[in-house]
Amino acid sequence: MKNIIFIAPPAAGKGTQSKLLNEKYNIPHISTGDLLREEISKGTDLGNKIAETMNTGSLISDDIVLGLLEKRLKDDDTNKGFILDGFPRNTNQAIILDELLEKLNKKIDYVIVLDLDREIAKKRIIGRLSCPKCGAIYNELFEELKPLNEGICNIDETQLIKRADDNETTFDKRYDTYIEQTSPLIDYYSNKGLIYNIDSSISKEYTFKQIEDILNIKE
Ligand code: AMP
């Protein structure tokens, strides 16, 4: 089974890699960041509350995230595997996830850590642009990742957008939160023999190849 968790600092590519895996192997991609952003776009009271916290770079409360995640994990398509992108983010969430998966008769098979130095992560975040229509990611600070026409998607010519939490102040807070709250999960899953590390500073193609090699180990 391919039940996968990604642990990574902001901009290490967990969203991109999850999307590539989803496209190639048809494994459902569950991003708690996306589930939260969907709630924000509905403009509900809950969505407004989430937006306020997300824009400071802090984590949303465990019970809100868990509610959204539990609903998604109960969908039948997750019986053939799933990718968790952005969950768990702290030890409490990891413990709750273990309990939830036991209840659903599922378990985690791989925890993939994408390592990325703080300075590279910062540049990737500050220059990041995405297409709201097809999800393609660009970066105005890396020559090779700029869109062909400034601010416009190469694929469908949609105006590119910047995420509200992709700025320098929020980046610092998000990276610190990762180090303080999320990186202890590496020990948590290491003790269960599930951790695989990848240097994600090289290229998205290199990272993807490493992930495929890891997943093939247990074919
Ligand atoms: P991401 O899209 O994974 O970079 O997440 C963006 C933001 O969503 C984070 O900075 C948090 O504010 C929030 N978020 C995403 N996943 C979680 C989670 N598992 N627990 C708490 N907050 C989360």
Side-chain angles (χ1 to χ4, degrees):
M1 186 62 76
K2 306 252 182 282
N3 294 345
I4 305 162
I5 288 176
F6 276 114
I7 296 182
K14 58 188 166 55
T16 303
Q17 297 299 330
S18 302
K19 197 161 171 273
L20 289 171
L21 277 176
N22 169 262
E23 281 162 7
K24 186 157 176 187
Y25 298 100
N26 207 15
I27 309 171
H29 169 203
I30 306 173
S31 154
T32 45
D34 285 351
L35 291 174
L36 291 163
R37 281 184 285 275
E38 252 165 53
E39 199 58 44
I40 293 175
S41 69
K42 289 185 202 155
T44 57
D45 283 350
L46 177 65
N48 294 338
K49 195 173 143 206
I50 292 170
E52 236 172 73
T53 310
M54 199 188 273
N55 289 340
T56 67
S58 302
L59 294 182
I60 311 302
S61 71
D62 293 346
D63 53 334
I64 294 179
V65 185
L66 193 81
L68 295 171
L69 179 73
E70 180 163 4
K71 202 161 149 265
R72 181 65 186 88
L73 274 176
K74 284 183 173 159
D75 290 341
D76 285 347
D77 64 339
T78 63
N79 290 336
K80 59 173 195 259
F82 57 82
I83 304 161
L84 285 184
D85 157 8
F87 192 96
R89 282 289 230 276
N90 58 37
T91 309
N92 187 43
Q93 290 185 0
I95 293 168
I96 297 172
L97 178 66
D98 282 345
E99 289 165 5
L100 174 62
L101 291 177
E102 201 179 325
K103 215 167 69 184
L104 299 175
N105 211 5
K106 299 182 198 284
K107 66 173 184 49
I108 296 300
D109 304 298
Y110 306 87
V111 178
I112 301 179
V113 181
L114 304 179
D115 295 308
L116 190 68
D117 179 85
R118 185 178 191 120
E119 281 317 302
I120 303 177
K122 190 174 205 161
K123 221 173 140 188
R124 284 193 187 169
I125 283 282
I126 294 170
R128 178 159 71 178
L129 294 169
S130 64
C131 175
K133 193 167 167 197
C134 71
I137 305 283
Y138 301 88
N139 195 301
E140 54 196 0
L141 298 180
F142 292 87
E143 218 35 62
E144 68 283 10
L145 299 176
K146 284 184 178 171
L148 297 172
N149 296 309
E150 200 181 323
I152 306 290
C153 179
N154 296 349
I155 300 161
D156 51 36
E157 298 185 355
T158 304
Q159 181 78 41
L160 300 175
I161 54 166
K162 194 176 253 303
R163 263 170 53 173
D165 59 345
D166 277 354
N167 58 66
E168 192 160 350
T169 317
T170 310
F171 168 80
D172 286 333
K173 174 71 183 158
R174 282 160 72 196
Y175 200 94
D176 290 345
T177 303
Y178 172 75
I179 297 295
E180 286 158 20
Q181 299 194 42
T182 309
S183 67
L185 291 179
I186 298 172
D187 273 350
Y188 181 87
Y189 287 112
S190 208
N191 291 333
K192 297 174 186 275
L194 294 175
I195 287 284
Y196 299 86
N197 282 83
I198 299 176
D199 172 2
S200 67
S201 69
I202 299 166
S203 70
K204 71 172 184 217
E205 292 78 15
Y206 171 85
T207 302
F208 190 58
K209 175 77 182 57
Q210 299 295 306
I211 294 172
E212 287 189 298
D213 287 351
I214 290 167
L215 299 183
N216 282 332
I217 295 173
K218 288 198 201 167
E219 268 300 310

